[in-house]
Each structure stands twice: as C-alpha cells, then as structure tokens.
Amino acid sequence: MGFFSKKINYPELTPDNPALDQVHDVEKPLQDLMGQVSDPLEVVPSDDHAYVFIGKPPKKFGVAVIEQGKVQSFIAAAKEKGLDQAKIQKLNEQLREAYLHNMDAPRYKTNVAGKEVVVIPSKDLDQEVKQVMSSMGN
C-alpha cells in the first residue's frame, strides 16, 4: 500500500470551530449514512444542511445531502426530478469541478460514531454544491 496511499492526517476539528456544532447537528443522519456505505466520507457542513462527498473525490465519488434530518443521494434526487443520464452526468461533472475548485480549503477530521470523517468547513464549496443542486430543477 504505502506508496500510493493518500491517507492524509488532517488536524482535529476543535470545539472552538463552529463546524463542529454543524456536524453535531447532522450526526444522526450521518450515522445512518455510515451504516449504508463503507467508503470514506467528507462532510461540508452548513447551518441548515450538509453535503457529504462519499468515496474518493474528485475521481470516484457520490454526493448525499442531509437536510431536515434526512439523507438523500444526489442520484436519487436527480432521478426523482426525472433527469436523464446525460443531465445527471453533466451535474456530476459540475460537482467534481466544485470539489476541485476547493482543493485548498482547510480540512479537519472528527469522529462520528467511532469512525473518522473529514470535515471541510468551506462556504465556497457549500455555495458551489448548492448551485449545482439547485440547477437540478432547471
């Protein structure tokens, strides 16, 4: 493993960081999501929602939204809105771009239900993902 391993040791998310409270606000649905996937999670917390990158962004990943205590995958939301595969692919590419634009955003680690998750408290990344998600309706 070693040589190709990209495991980065991020600093711990400290109690004085407001992102810690935001992660606690979505802890239950985050635990539910952890029960469904074994891939690494990167959480982009906000005041009333969180976006979760699942897997190994920016290459192979999925995105879930946690809102009002519920988890919904990006794919499920797109299909619910009747989007075809081409539109889903285009939106997925925009999510990849949003992630890439924010590669230099600070990242932290914290434990949720005994598992380490990466937290990206980035307003820019949050806004870019929100823009992609809201364009689903168009």
Side-chain angles (χ1 to χ4, degrees), residues 43-112:
V43 181
V44 183
S46 190
D47 288 332
D48 59 351
H49 64 271
Y51 297 117
V52 184
F53 285 85
I54 305 161
K56 297 181 176 14
K59 291 188 168 95
K60 188 171 169 40
F61 69 96
V63 174
V65 183
I66 299 176
E67 267 183 323
Q68 299 169 344
K70 294 183 179 68
V71 178
Q72 184 173 39
S73 79
F74 160 72
I75 298 293
K79 287 183 176 171
E80 203 174 89
K81 294 194 184 296
L83 301 181
D84 63 19
Q85 196 56 45
K87 177 75 172 164
I88 291 172
Q89 192 63 39
K90 182 177 177 227
L91 291 171
N92 208 34
E93 190 53 42
Q94 290 173 352
L95 290 169
R96 179 185 325 281
E97 290 295 319
Y99 187 89
L100 287 169
H101 291 164
N102 293 280
M103 287 293 282
D104 59 350
R107 285 163 168 72
Y108 303 91
K109 66 181 178 186
T110 192
N111 268 337
V112 175

